[in-house]
Amino acid sequence: LFSGLLWGDRESLSKAATAYRAVLEVFTFEWTPLDWATAQNLLGLTLSTQGERERSADLQENGIEAYRQALRFWSRYPESPDYAMTEYDLGKALHSLSMSRSSRGESQELTSLLEESIASFEASLRVFTLEKVPDEIRHKYPRVYFTSPLRDYKEDQLQRYIEMQKKKGCKA
């Protein structure tokens, strides 16, 4: 299912979303919280990706909600790479939604979306620093290093990026 997210077409993404929702019928927060949080994160990734590709704010918002649900579990472990990855994914989804709304001339909530995006990136950076992240984590979570908007930034550049986004958010 996961490889379909990166290269999948509309049908593959829809099937993946359906599958993750079915998994969430079995893995509940009360019964298996770790599996539930993992499935929520993957559902968020699926819906966010589908929403970006189809330019659907509804799908993007559903993806954002799935990430927020996953953080119900991961926020208990704020030093874990899974917490950081979920925060990163949430930040990326919020940033994408704000950019798509901005390009369509929808100015409502842009500032709050960007502020929440920045807060998620900052939470991720508390775990994923250049000094803290061992090689095995970099290989397990390559999206942190190879996807926008954080691609090719070093830690000091990330801080400048965050400041730049804060300034842009204040003008929106």
Side-chain angles (χ1 to χ4, degrees):
L1 289 178
F2 183 74
S3 65
L5 296 178
L6 300 176
W7 300 283
D9 56 18
R10 180 182 214 174
E11 184 180 346
S12 298
L13 290 168
S14 293
K15 286 180 180 178
T18 300
Y20 290 129
R21 286 185 177 110
V23 165
L24 288 165
E25 295 291 319
V26 177
F27 295 144
T28 65
F29 182 77
E30 295 76 21
W31 185 278
T32 55
L34 175 62
D35 295 327
W36 177 86
T38 301
Q40 286 285 3
N41 192 57
L42 290 169
L43 178 61
L45 183 58
T46 302
L47 294 172
S48 294
T49 301
Q50 189 176 15
E52 282 182 42
R53 291 180 184 175
E54 296 180 18
R55 300 180 195 273
S56 168
D58 287 340
L59 287 169
Q60 287 178 302
E61 289 168 358
N62 289 336
I64 288 166
E65 181 56 30
Y67 289 133
R68 288 179 176 146
Q69 289 297 314
L71 286 169
R72 286 180 46 207
F73 174 76
W74 291 121
S75 62
R76 299 175 185 182
Y77 307 98
E79 297 300 316
S80 78
D82 292 299
Y83 167 80
M85 192 70 246
T86 303
E87 284 284 8
Y88 170 80
D89 288 338
L90 175 60
K92 186 171 177 268
L94 289 161
H95 182 261
S96 176
L97 180 60
S98 72
M99 294 299 102
S100 66
R101 283 190 175 163
S102 176
S103 70
R104 290 191 306 259
E106 300 174 23
S107 61
Q108 76 249 18
E109 303 176 26
L110 288 182
T111 300
S112 63
L113 285 170
L114 283 172
E115 286 173 350
E116 191 176 353
S117 173
I118 290 165
S120 289
F121 287 138
E122 287 176 332
S124 180
L125 284 172
R126 284 193 286 278
V127 177
F128 284 130
T129 64
L130 295 176
E131 295 82 30
K132 284 184 178 180
V133 181
D135 285 338
E136 63 268 14
I137 298 298
R138 287 185 193 145
H139 294 295
K140 184 176 179 186
Y141 299 98
R143 290 192 321 269
V144 170
Y145 299 99
F146 301 114
T147 60
S148 65
L150 302 181
R151 179 181 43 230
D152 298 329
Y153 285 96
K154 294 183 179 163
E155 192 169 340
D156 61 322
Q157 292 170 315
L158 285 173
Q159 295 304 325
R160 285 195 299 262
Y161 175 83
I162 288 169
E163 291 303 314
M164 180 180 70
Q165 292 301 315
K166 282 181 181 177
K167 288 177 185 174
K168 282 183 180 179
C170 293
K171 293 179 183 177

